[in-house]
């Protein structure tokens, strides 16, 4: 299996706060890999370090054999990594279609843009119905669909998803994860941060457990689902 992403012993700081303390992980082509952990464990910081929002002070991030550790985020998007960030962060005063168009700013081929847009509308038919609406008028679930769709418009080879189920009703959580699973089965490699460990690990090939900026456990999705520590700490079981 071809390795797409390798994160090797990265240390990331926010000022004097040592947020990531030597994290190493890998993502292979075609996988869903999930990061779980409590608040402040370093999950979002890991994604932000990979996509260049912050930079590691030590260690290395390698994507498809190329060192991207110090590249700015816009260059990393051009390399093939896009992120759907925590909190969605759509453009509330732009239409659905305008939000999606901004996600495709790296694409110059109009035919390719049209194909990507048709794919997003196939995955998210509600976005097609609401393409002229302002993003801020959408429901929370629809805004999450828009955030993922916008990231998909860049045709990523690695999609980073940060807390896609946050704030959603259970029925919408299931819908979002059905779509994530379909994206993966159709060829998108995914690195996922998710508070709902049960549903995330159930569709994941592998997972990593973070605590206080360090990886403390790794295994297949099913191995982590049956691990006593994971079941007690993250699945609410005693």
């Amino acid at each position: 299996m071809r390795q797409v992403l390798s994160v090797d012993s990265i240390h990331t700081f926010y000022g004097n706060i040592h947020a990531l303390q030597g994290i190493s992980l890998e993502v292979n082509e075609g996988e869903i890999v999930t990061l779980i952990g409590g608040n402040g464990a370093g999950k979002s910081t890991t994604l932000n370090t990979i996509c260049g929002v912050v930079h590691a002070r030590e260690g290395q991030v390698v994507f498809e054999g190329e060192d991207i550790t110090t590249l700015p985020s816009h260059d990393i998007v051009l390399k093939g990594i896009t992120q759907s960030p925590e909190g969605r962060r759509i453009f509330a005063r732009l239409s659905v279609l305008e939000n999606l168009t901004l996600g495709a700013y790296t694409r110059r081929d109009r035919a390719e843009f049209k194909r990507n847009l048709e794919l997003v509308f196939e995955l998210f038919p509600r976005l097609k119905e609401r393409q002229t609406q302002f993003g801020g008028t959408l429901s929370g679930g629809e805004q999450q669909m828009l955030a993922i769709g916008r990231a998909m418009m860049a045709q990523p080879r690695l999609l980073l998803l940060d807390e896609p189920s946050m704030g959603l009703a259970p029925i919408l959580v299931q819908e979002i994860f059905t779509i994530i699973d379909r994206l993966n089965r159709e060829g998108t490699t995914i690195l996922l941060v998710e508070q709902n460990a049960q549903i995330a690990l159930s569709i994941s090939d592998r997972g990593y457990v973070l605590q206080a900026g360090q990886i403390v456990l790794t295994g297949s999705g099913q191995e982590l689902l049956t691990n006593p520590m994971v079941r007690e700490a993250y699945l609410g079981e005693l």
Side-chain angles (χ1 to χ4, degrees):
M1 190 176 292
R2 187 173 73 94
Q3 189 179 83
V4 172
L5 178 74
S6 172
V7 174
D8 184 19
S9 301
I10 57 171
H11 292 257
T12 301
F13 290 76
Y14 293 114
N16 293 324
I17 299 173
H18 195 174
L20 300 183
Q21 303 176 25
I23 282 181
S24 296
L25 60 86
E26 63 182 42
V27 181
N28 297 316
E29 188 174 31
E31 286 188 316
I32 297 178
V33 176
T34 292
L35 309 181
I36 64 171
N39 290 336
K43 307 183 301 298
S44 293
T45 302
T46 300
L47 296 193
N48 288 337
T49 303
I50 291 167
C51 68
V53 175
V54 294
H55 288 115
R57 192 176 296 180
E58 298 177 35
Q60 189 177 47
V61 180
V62 175
F63 177 63
E64 295 188 330
E66 181 179 355
D67 186 347
I68 62 169
T69 312
T70 61
L71 289 183
S73 56
H74 61 271
D75 284 345
I76 291 174
V77 171
L78 291 172
K79 297 291 183 186
I81 300 177
T82 61
Q83 181 177 16
S84 176
E86 181 182 358
R88 300 158 198 151
R89 298 184 200 168
I90 62 161
F91 296 98
R93 296 186 179 183
L94 297 182
S95 70
V96 167
L97 183 58
E98 288 167 335
N99 269 273
L100 294 173
T101 301
L102 284 174
Y105 78 94
T106 62
R107 322 288 318 165
R108 295 292 177 262
D109 187 324
R110 294 301 300 175
E112 190 75 14
F113 169 83
K114 186 177 180 181
R115 283 193 294 270
N116 291 350
L117 187 63
E118 288 172 351
L119 172 61
V120 169
F121 284 157
E122 180 189 344
L123 289 167
F124 304 107
R126 268 180 278 180
L127 296 184
K128 185 173 184 178
E129 295 168 6
R130 292 159 171 72
Q131 60 184 292
T132 60
Q133 279 186 227
F134 291 132
T137 68
L138 301 178
S139 70
E142 290 163 350
Q143 288 186 15
Q144 186 61 70
M145 294 173 189
L146 180 56
I148 296 173
R150 184 179 61 192
M152 289 301 299
M153 287 297 294
Q155 208 171 23
R157 293 191 296 283
L158 175 62
L159 177 62
L160 310 181
L161 298 176
D162 196 350
E163 302 284 12
S165 79
M166 181 178 287
L168 300 185
I171 191 169
L172 287 175
V173 171
Q174 186 60 60
E175 184 175 352
I176 289 292
F177 272 90
T178 297
I179 291 166
I180 291 170
D181 189 41
R182 179 182 170 186
L183 281 173
N184 177 249
R185 285 187 282 106
E186 292 182 357
T188 303
T189 303
I190 296 171
L191 179 59
L192 170 67
V193 162
E194 178 51 46
Q195 59 183 345
N196 190 328
Q198 178 74 49
I199 193 168
L201 291 174
S202 70
I203 66 167
S204 295
D205 297 282
R206 293 183 299 108
Y208 295 86
V209 180
L210 277 67
Q211 288 181 1
Q214 298 180 324
I215 290 172
V216 297
L217 190 64
T218 185
S220 71
Q222 290 304 309
E223 286 169 346
L224 293 180
L225 277 173
T226 58
N227 181 279
M229 186 271 278
V230 172
R231 295 186 73 84
E232 180 177 350
Y234 305 108
L235 304 181
E237 298 182 9
L238 299 177

